[in-house]
């Protein structure tokens, strides 16, 4: 049984079919990449899975049970956590307090001790210990991304949805974050990553899904995807195809 199953899901905004009859499954333990040009419908797909916006037509199953129509907090408590394309830590709070919100959100009946343990472990995992008491305003962009991951991980999810966590980072920071994401995966977290940084998504993913104009146009290993003419066409249109290969290989 798949951990997550998306079946013929649709969502439109006015006249725009943002997600069009999309079906895919994610198995436990996988890292799956979700790529596609700007406006392809990737974030909308993530918003539908996490319940932020309602599905118009189709079904989404988590661990075999339908989650379509549930509120975001119910979906989160079932074990799906996410990050946002625009990082938004709670201002005026410390790093530690921000991570604690994730842990508190998870369940009503954890003891203070249990919460502290989750928070400490999560901050160590995302290498934020030294910043624990810092106000979030003092964090660099890369550190804010680590915090965003820590907040999601403190919910102890089974499935983690990451929306462009690499955006704006330099090469060294990207490599660090890739290493941390692999570490989360080693802890049995299944991960769906939306990413424009090809080096990261190709390097991390076992399998890649490609969206274009709301539809799923290809699915395969990073190697298969980087050679797929439909994908190359979607990314480059009439531009030279060589450019895409240069981008995915480096
Ligand atoms: N809340 C909304 N209201 C109206 N239109 C929306 C809304 N959210 C998304 N759209 C439209 O749906 C389409 C898909 O947008 P979406 O944000 O899912 O794309 P994306 O693949 O995440 O793009 P990007 O790579 O730029 O983040 C776009 O045409 C977008 O303008
Ligand atoms: Mg997006």
């Amino acid at each position: 049984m798949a951990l997550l199953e998306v079946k013929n899901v649709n969502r439109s905004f006015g006249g725009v079919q943002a997600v069009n009859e999309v079906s895919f499954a994610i198995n436990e333990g996988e890292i799956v990449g979700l790529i596609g040009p700007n406006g392809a419908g990737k974030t909308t797909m993530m918003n539908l899975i996490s319940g932020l916006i309602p599905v118009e037509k189709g079904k989404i199953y988590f661990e075999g049970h339908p989650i379509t129509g549930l509120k975001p907090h119910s979906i989160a408590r079932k074990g799906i956590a996410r990050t946002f394309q625009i990082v938004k830590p709670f201002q005026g709070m410390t790093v530690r307090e921000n991570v604690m919100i994730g842990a508190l959100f998870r369940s009503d009946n954890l003891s203070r001790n249990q919460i502290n343990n989750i928070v400490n472990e999560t901050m160590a995992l995302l290498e934020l210990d030294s910043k624990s008491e810092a106000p979030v305003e003092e964090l660099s962009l890369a550190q804010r991304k680590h915090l965003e991951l820590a907040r999601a991980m403190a919910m102890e999810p089974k499935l983690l949805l990451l929306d462009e966590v690499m955006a704006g980072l330099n090469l060294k920071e990207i490599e660090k974050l890739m290493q941390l994401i692999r570490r989360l995966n080693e802890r049995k977290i299944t991960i769906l990553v939306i990413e424009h940084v090809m080096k990261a998504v190709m390097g991390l993913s076992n399998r890649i899904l490609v969206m274009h104009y709301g539809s799923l146009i290809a699915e395969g290993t990073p190697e298969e995807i980087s050679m797929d003419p439909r994908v190359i066409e979607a990314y480059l249109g009439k531009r030279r195809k060589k450019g895409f290969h240069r981008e995915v290989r480096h």
Side-chain angles (χ1 to χ4, degrees):
M1 186 185 71
L3 182 65
L4 182 83
E5 194 172 2
V6 171
K7 268 194 166 166
N8 306 105
V9 162
N10 288 268
R11 172 71 207 203
S12 58
F13 297 105
V16 179
Q17 191 69 37
V19 171
N20 186 13
E21 285 292 310
V22 170
S23 298
F24 62 87
I26 298 178
N27 300 313
E28 208 176 316
E30 279 191 301
I31 300 183
V32 175
L34 177 56
I35 68 169
N38 292 115
K42 305 178 298 295
T43 297
T44 303
M45 191 63 244
M46 201 166 269
N47 289 341
L48 294 170
I49 296 169
S50 57
L52 210 66
I53 56 171
V55 169
E56 253 165 28
K57 213 172 98 213
K59 286 262 180 219
I60 302 177
Y61 299 87
F62 186 62
E63 297 185 300
H65 304 291
I67 56 167
T68 336
L70 297 183
K71 295 268 175 277
H73 67 270
S74 309
I75 294 175
R77 285 199 173 172
K78 285 186 185 300
I80 303 181
R82 66 171 294 170
T83 65
F84 287 89
Q85 192 163 350
I86 315 283
V87 288
K88 34 186 172 185
F90 294 102
Q91 302 293 317
M93 292 171 85
T94 65
V95 168
R96 186 182 180 77
E97 287 163 342
N98 264 270
V99 177
M100 194 170 282
I101 288 172
L104 288 170
F105 187 77
R106 191 187 144 241
S107 164
D108 295 326
N109 44 26
L110 290 177
S111 70
R112 179 178 273 265
N113 236 345
Q114 285 172 310
I115 288 173
N116 279 331
N117 286 343
I118 294 171
V119 170
N120 291 341
E121 271 176 37
T122 309
M123 284 194 305
L125 187 63
L126 276 310
E127 301 184 0
L128 285 166
D129 334 45
S130 66
K131 291 281 161 194
S132 159
E133 302 309 322
V136 291
E137 291 82 355
E138 281 179 16
L139 298 184
S140 68
L141 178 64
Q143 288 165 338
R144 288 206 304 274
K145 304 276 186 155
H146 286 213
L147 175 58
E148 187 75 2
L149 277 175
R151 220 168 39 158
M153 280 299 293
M155 292 166 60
E156 302 199 310
K158 295 169 188 152
L159 175 65
L160 188 56
L161 311 174
L162 306 180
D163 196 355
E164 291 199 41
V165 285
M166 304 292 176
L169 302 186
N170 67 35
L171 202 60
K172 204 168 146 221
E173 292 164 339
I174 287 171
E175 274 163 8
K176 179 81 229 173
L177 206 48
M178 286 174 72
Q179 185 195 336
L180 291 179
I181 290 170
R182 285 201 188 94
R183 200 182 288 172
L184 305 184
N185 184 240
E186 281 159 16
R187 294 170 77 100
K188 310 289 177 233
I189 313 290
T190 306
I191 305 175
L192 177 65
V193 285
I194 294 178
E195 196 50 72
H196 279 295
V197 177
M198 284 299 159
K199 175 189 157 65
V201 74
M202 292 286 167
L204 281 172
S205 307
N206 312 112
R207 200 154 57 83
I208 292 185
L209 308 168
V210 188
M211 287 182 75
H212 190 36
Y213 293 125
S215 300
L216 200 65
I217 59 160
E219 184 180 343
T221 62
E223 295 71 32
E224 287 163 354
I225 287 303
S226 64
M227 302 305 290
D228 190 318
R230 288 166 301 178
V231 178
I232 296 167
E233 186 68 28
Y235 267 89
L236 296 180
K238 293 191 171 62
R239 277 163 52 202
R240 276 174 35 242
K241 297 185 177 180
K242 246 164 91 186
F244 180 76
H245 284 106
R246 214 170 12 245
E247 202 185 342
V248 299
R249 292 220 176 106
H250 294 279

PDB file of all heavy atoms in Angstrom, residues 13 16-18 36-45 47 53 85 163-164 194 196, ligand 1:
ATOM      1  N   PHE A  13      -8.711  27.721 -10.586  1.00  0.00           N
ATOM      2  CA  PHE A  13      -8.901  29.070 -10.038  1.00  0.00           C
ATOM      3  C   PHE A  13      -9.466  29.904 -11.168  1.00  0.00           C
ATOM      4  O   PHE A  13      -8.742  30.201 -12.118  1.00  0.00           O
ATOM      5  CB  PHE A  13      -7.578  29.674  -9.577  1.00  0.00           C
ATOM      6  CG  PHE A  13      -6.923  28.910  -8.454  1.00  0.00           C
ATOM      7  CD1 PHE A  13      -5.821  28.113  -8.696  1.00  0.00           C
ATOM      8  CD2 PHE A  13      -7.410  29.000  -7.159  1.00  0.00           C
ATOM      9  CE1 PHE A  13      -5.202  27.413  -7.659  1.00  0.00           C
ATOM     10  CE2 PHE A  13      -6.805  28.303  -6.122  1.00  0.00           C
ATOM     11  CZ  PHE A  13      -5.698  27.511  -6.372  1.00  0.00           C
ATOM     12  N   VAL A  16      -8.370  29.162 -14.733  1.00  0.00           N
ATOM     13  CA  VAL A  16      -7.082  28.441 -14.784  1.00  0.00           C
ATOM     14  C   VAL A  16      -7.193  27.061 -14.149  1.00  0.00           C
ATOM     15  O   VAL A  16      -7.550  26.934 -12.980  1.00  0.00           O
ATOM     16  CB  VAL A  16      -5.978  29.248 -14.045  1.00  0.00           C
ATOM     17  CG1 VAL A  16      -4.647  28.497 -14.066  1.00  0.00           C
ATOM     18  CG2 VAL A  16      -5.824  30.631 -14.650  1.00  0.00           C
ATOM     19  N   GLN A  17      -6.910  26.026 -14.934  1.00  0.00           N
ATOM     20  CA  GLN A  17      -6.909  24.654 -14.393  1.00  0.00           C
ATOM     21  C   GLN A  17      -5.529  24.422 -13.786  1.00  0.00           C
ATOM     22  O   GLN A  17      -4.611  23.977 -14.481  1.00  0.00           O
ATOM     23  CB  GLN A  17      -7.221  23.658 -15.523  1.00  0.00           C
ATOM     24  CG  GLN A  17      -7.502  22.246 -15.052  1.00  0.00           C
ATOM     25  CD  GLN A  17      -8.827  22.099 -14.295  1.00  0.00           C
ATOM     26  OE1 GLN A  17      -9.816  22.743 -14.644  1.00  0.00           O
ATOM     27  NE2 GLN A  17      -8.844  21.302 -13.242  1.00  0.00           N
ATOM     28  N   ALA A  18      -5.384  24.748 -12.494  1.00  0.00           N
ATOM     29  CA  ALA A  18      -4.065  24.694 -11.852  1.00  0.00           C
ATOM     30  C   ALA A  18      -3.586  23.260 -11.657  1.00  0.00           C
ATOM     31  O   ALA A  18      -2.393  22.973 -11.751  1.00  0.00           O
ATOM     32  CB  ALA A  18      -4.106  25.423 -10.518  1.00  0.00           C
ATOM     33  N   GLY A  36       8.678  21.181 -12.470  1.00  0.00           N
ATOM     34  CA  GLY A  36       7.860  21.738 -13.538  1.00  0.00           C
ATOM     35  C   GLY A  36       8.077  23.233 -13.596  1.00  0.00           C
ATOM     36  O   GLY A  36       8.463  23.842 -12.602  1.00  0.00           O
ATOM     37  N   PRO A  37       7.828  23.827 -14.766  1.00  0.00           N
ATOM     38  CA  PRO A  37       8.046  25.267 -14.933  1.00  0.00           C
ATOM     39  C   PRO A  37       7.169  26.097 -13.985  1.00  0.00           C
ATOM     40  O   PRO A  37       6.208  25.569 -13.419  1.00  0.00           O
ATOM     41  CB  PRO A  37       7.647  25.524 -16.388  1.00  0.00           C
ATOM     42  CG  PRO A  37       7.611  24.182 -17.050  1.00  0.00           C
ATOM     43  CD  PRO A  37       7.332  23.178 -15.991  1.00  0.00           C
ATOM     44  N   ASN A  38       7.460  27.368 -13.851  1.00  0.00           N
ATOM     45  CA  ASN A  38       6.658  28.269 -13.021  1.00  0.00           C
ATOM     46  C   ASN A  38       5.195  28.188 -13.414  1.00  0.00           C
ATOM     47  O   ASN A  38       4.869  28.174 -14.600  1.00  0.00           O
ATOM     48  CB  ASN A  38       7.125  29.726 -13.178  1.00  0.00           C
ATOM     49  CG  ASN A  38       8.509  29.937 -12.599  1.00  0.00           C
ATOM     50  OD1 ASN A  38       9.446  30.237 -13.320  1.00  0.00           O
ATOM     51  ND2 ASN A  38       8.645  29.755 -11.311  1.00  0.00           N
ATOM     52  N   GLY A  39       4.324  28.104 -12.417  1.00  0.00           N
ATOM     53  CA  GLY A  39       2.886  28.075 -12.674  1.00  0.00           C
ATOM     54  C   GLY A  39       2.357  26.718 -13.086  1.00  0.00           C
ATOM     55  O   GLY A  39       1.190  26.568 -13.450  1.00  0.00           O
ATOM     56  N   ALA A  40       3.191  25.671 -12.994  1.00  0.00           N
ATOM     57  CA  ALA A  40       2.794  24.320 -13.427  1.00  0.00           C
ATOM     58  C   ALA A  40       1.718  23.707 -12.530  1.00  0.00           C
ATOM     59  O   ALA A  40       1.019  22.788 -12.947  1.00  0.00           O
ATOM     60  CB  ALA A  40       4.016  23.406 -13.465  1.00  0.00           C
ATOM     61  N   GLY A  41       1.630  24.188 -11.280  1.00  0.00           N
ATOM     62  CA  GLY A  41       0.628  23.650 -10.359  1.00  0.00           C
ATOM     63  C   GLY A  41       1.221  22.882  -9.184  1.00  0.00           C
ATOM     64  O   GLY A  41       0.502  22.226  -8.428  1.00  0.00           O
ATOM     65  N   LYS A  42       2.543  22.998  -8.994  1.00  0.00           N
ATOM     66  CA  LYS A  42       3.236  22.233  -7.949  1.00  0.00           C
ATOM     67  C   LYS A  42       2.782  22.642  -6.540  1.00  0.00           C
ATOM     68  O   LYS A  42       2.419  21.788  -5.729  1.00  0.00           O
ATOM     69  CB  LYS A  42       4.761  22.412  -8.085  1.00  0.00           C
ATOM     70  CG  LYS A  42       5.301  22.065  -9.467  1.00  0.00           C
ATOM     71  CD  LYS A  42       6.793  22.301  -9.571  1.00  0.00           C
ATOM     72  CE  LYS A  42       7.256  23.737  -9.369  1.00  0.00           C
ATOM     73  NZ  LYS A  42       6.788  24.688 -10.407  1.00  0.00           N
ATOM     74  N   THR A  43       2.824  23.950  -6.278  1.00  0.00           N
ATOM     75  CA  THR A  43       2.427  24.413  -4.940  1.00  0.00           C
ATOM     76  C   THR A  43       0.942  24.130  -4.712  1.00  0.00           C
ATOM     77  O   THR A  43       0.548  23.720  -3.612  1.00  0.00           O
ATOM     78  CB  THR A  43       2.732  25.925  -4.776  1.00  0.00           C
ATOM     79  OG1 THR A  43       4.144  26.104  -4.892  1.00  0.00           O
ATOM     80  CG2 THR A  43       2.282  26.442  -3.420  1.00  0.00           C
ATOM     81  N   THR A  44       0.126  24.304  -5.745  1.00  0.00           N
ATOM     82  CA  THR A  44      -1.300  23.994  -5.611  1.00  0.00           C
ATOM     83  C   THR A  44      -1.476  22.524  -5.226  1.00  0.00           C
ATOM     84  O   THR A  44      -2.272  22.198  -4.342  1.00  0.00           O
ATOM     85  CB  THR A  44      -2.043  24.304  -6.929  1.00  0.00           C
ATOM     86  OG1 THR A  44      -1.816  25.677  -7.262  1.00  0.00           O
ATOM     87  CG2 THR A  44      -3.537  24.056  -6.801  1.00  0.00           C
ATOM     88  N   MET A  45      -0.713  21.642  -5.856  1.00  0.00           N
ATOM     89  CA  MET A  45      -0.784  20.209  -5.525  1.00  0.00           C
ATOM     90  C   MET A  45      -0.461  20.000  -4.055  1.00  0.00           C
ATOM     91  O   MET A  45      -1.149  19.251  -3.354  1.00  0.00           O
ATOM     92  CB  MET A  45       0.200  19.443  -6.434  1.00  0.00           C
ATOM     93  CG  MET A  45       0.050  17.946  -6.398  1.00  0.00           C
ATOM     94  SD  MET A  45      -1.561  17.396  -7.001  1.00  0.00           S
ATOM     95  CE  MET A  45      -2.250  16.644  -5.547  1.00  0.00           C
ATOM     96  N   ASN A  47      -0.730  22.234  -1.674  1.00  0.00           N
ATOM     97  CA  ASN A  47      -1.815  22.834  -0.892  1.00  0.00           C
ATOM     98  C   ASN A  47      -3.023  21.900  -0.817  1.00  0.00           C
ATOM     99  O   ASN A  47      -3.728  21.867   0.198  1.00  0.00           O
ATOM    100  CB  ASN A  47      -2.263  24.169  -1.508  1.00  0.00           C
ATOM    101  CG  ASN A  47      -1.218  25.259  -1.331  1.00  0.00           C
ATOM    102  OD1 ASN A  47      -0.326  25.150  -0.473  1.00  0.00           O
ATOM    103  ND2 ASN A  47      -1.307  26.311  -2.127  1.00  0.00           N
ATOM    104  N   ILE A  53      -6.193  24.169   0.620  1.00  0.00           N
ATOM    105  CA  ILE A  53      -7.302  24.506  -0.270  1.00  0.00           C
ATOM    106  C   ILE A  53      -8.043  23.213  -0.621  1.00  0.00           C
ATOM    107  O   ILE A  53      -7.431  22.143  -0.674  1.00  0.00           O
ATOM    108  CB  ILE A  53      -6.829  25.230  -1.561  1.00  0.00           C
ATOM    109  CG1 ILE A  53      -5.793  24.381  -2.299  1.00  0.00           C
ATOM    110  CG2 ILE A  53      -6.268  26.602  -1.272  1.00  0.00           C
ATOM    111  CD1 ILE A  53      -5.461  24.930  -3.668  1.00  0.00           C
ATOM    112  N   GLN A  85       6.691  27.952   0.573  1.00  0.00           N
ATOM    113  CA  GLN A  85       7.602  28.533  -0.424  1.00  0.00           C
ATOM    114  C   GLN A  85       8.207  29.834   0.119  1.00  0.00           C
ATOM    115  O   GLN A  85       9.385  30.087  -0.055  1.00  0.00           O
ATOM    116  CB  GLN A  85       6.823  28.777  -1.725  1.00  0.00           C
ATOM    117  CG  GLN A  85       7.694  29.094  -2.910  1.00  0.00           C
ATOM    118  CD  GLN A  85       6.954  28.913  -4.246  1.00  0.00           C
ATOM    119  OE1 GLN A  85       5.851  28.378  -4.291  1.00  0.00           O
ATOM    120  NE2 GLN A  85       7.567  29.378  -5.312  1.00  0.00           N
ATOM    121  N   ASP A 163       8.467  22.755  -0.045  1.00  0.00           N
ATOM    122  CA  ASP A 163       8.232  23.617  -1.214  1.00  0.00           C
ATOM    123  C   ASP A 163       9.399  24.579  -1.407  1.00  0.00           C
ATOM    124  O   ASP A 163       9.497  25.591  -0.719  1.00  0.00           O
ATOM    125  CB  ASP A 163       6.915  24.383  -1.044  1.00  0.00           C
ATOM    126  CG  ASP A 163       6.428  24.983  -2.363  1.00  0.00           C
ATOM    127  OD1 ASP A 163       7.145  24.884  -3.378  1.00  0.00           O
ATOM    128  OD2 ASP A 163       5.326  25.564  -2.371  1.00  0.00           O
ATOM    129  N   GLU A 164      10.275  24.260  -2.324  1.00  0.00           N
ATOM    130  CA  GLU A 164      11.407  25.116  -2.709  1.00  0.00           C
ATOM    131  C   GLU A 164      12.257  25.585  -1.532  1.00  0.00           C
ATOM    132  O   GLU A 164      12.510  26.774  -1.380  1.00  0.00           O
ATOM    133  CB  GLU A 164      10.897  26.318  -3.501  1.00  0.00           C
ATOM    134  CG  GLU A 164      10.381  25.901  -4.855  1.00  0.00           C
ATOM    135  CD  GLU A 164      10.310  27.060  -5.829  1.00  0.00           C
ATOM    136  OE1 GLU A 164      11.246  27.877  -5.844  1.00  0.00           O
ATOM    137  OE2 GLU A 164       9.323  27.119  -6.570  1.00  0.00           O
ATOM    138  N   ILE A 194       9.337  19.817  -3.827  1.00  0.00           N
ATOM    139  CA  ILE A 194       9.179  20.685  -4.985  1.00  0.00           C
ATOM    140  C   ILE A 194      10.476  21.477  -5.058  1.00  0.00           C
ATOM    141  O   ILE A 194      10.906  22.051  -4.050  1.00  0.00           O
ATOM    142  CB  ILE A 194       8.019  21.690  -4.787  1.00  0.00           C
ATOM    143  CG1 ILE A 194       6.684  20.968  -4.722  1.00  0.00           C
ATOM    144  CG2 ILE A 194       8.040  22.744  -5.904  1.00  0.00           C
ATOM    145  CD1 ILE A 194       5.508  21.897  -4.474  1.00  0.00           C
ATOM    146  N   HIS A 196      13.203  23.870  -7.784  1.00  0.00           N
ATOM    147  CA  HIS A 196      13.700  24.377  -9.063  1.00  0.00           C
ATOM    148  C   HIS A 196      15.212  24.171  -9.200  1.00  0.00           C
ATOM    149  O   HIS A 196      15.743  24.220 -10.303  1.00  0.00           O
ATOM    150  CB  HIS A 196      13.396  25.865  -9.227  1.00  0.00           C
ATOM    151  CG  HIS A 196      11.986  26.143  -9.688  1.00  0.00           C
ATOM    152  ND1 HIS A 196      11.531  25.742 -10.914  1.00  0.00           N
ATOM    153  CD2 HIS A 196      10.955  26.758  -9.086  1.00  0.00           C
ATOM    154  CE1 HIS A 196      10.260  26.116 -11.051  1.00  0.00           C
ATOM    155  NE2 HIS A 196       9.887  26.725  -9.943  1.00  0.00           N
TER     156      HIS A 196
HETATM  157  N1  LIG B   1      -4.921  31.166  -4.813  1.00  0.00           N
HETATM  158  C1  LIG B   1      -4.870  31.287  -6.142  1.00  0.00           C
HETATM  159  N2  LIG B   1      -5.740  32.076  -6.813  1.00  0.00           N
HETATM  160  C2  LIG B   1      -5.710  32.179  -8.156  1.00  0.00           C
HETATM  161  N3  LIG B   1      -4.835  31.525  -8.948  1.00  0.00           N
HETATM  162  C3  LIG B   1      -3.942  30.733  -8.355  1.00  0.00           C
HETATM  163  C4  LIG B   1      -3.905  30.574  -6.918  1.00  0.00           C
HETATM  164  N4  LIG B   1      -2.920  29.707  -6.610  1.00  0.00           N
HETATM  165  C5  LIG B   1      -2.342  29.349  -7.790  1.00  0.00           C
HETATM  166  N5  LIG B   1      -2.958  29.962  -8.824  1.00  0.00           N
HETATM  167  C6  LIG B   1      -2.637  29.769 -10.245  1.00  0.00           C
HETATM  168  O1  LIG B   1      -2.551  28.372 -10.466  1.00  0.00           O
HETATM  169  C7  LIG B   1      -1.447  28.066 -11.338  1.00  0.00           C
HETATM  170  C8  LIG B   1      -0.495  27.146 -10.630  1.00  0.00           C
HETATM  171  O2  LIG B   1       0.162  27.865  -9.603  1.00  0.00           O
HETATM  172  P1  LIG B   1       1.180  27.192  -8.573  1.00  0.00           P
HETATM  173  O3  LIG B   1       1.530  28.223  -7.575  1.00  0.00           O
HETATM  174  O4  LIG B   1       0.604  25.926  -8.092  1.00  0.00           O
HETATM  175  O5  LIG B   1       2.415  26.898  -9.530  1.00  0.00           O
HETATM  176  P2  LIG B   1       3.879  26.368  -9.167  1.00  0.00           P
HETATM  177  O6  LIG B   1       4.126  25.189 -10.037  1.00  0.00           O
HETATM  178  O7  LIG B   1       4.021  26.209  -7.708  1.00  0.00           O
HETATM  179  O8  LIG B   1       4.793  27.574  -9.695  1.00  0.00           O
HETATM  180  P3  LIG B   1       6.196  28.152  -9.106  1.00  0.00           P
HETATM  181  O9  LIG B   1       7.264  27.242  -9.595  1.00  0.00           O
HETATM  182  O10 LIG B   1       6.300  29.498  -9.738  1.00  0.00           O
HETATM  183  O11 LIG B   1       6.091  28.220  -7.610  1.00  0.00           O
HETATM  184  C9  LIG B   1      -0.854  29.410 -11.750  1.00  0.00           C
HETATM  185  O12 LIG B   1      -1.436  29.798 -12.971  1.00  0.00           O
HETATM  186  C10 LIG B   1      -1.273  30.328 -10.616  1.00  0.00           C
HETATM  187  O13 LIG B   1      -1.360  31.660 -11.041  1.00  0.00           O
END
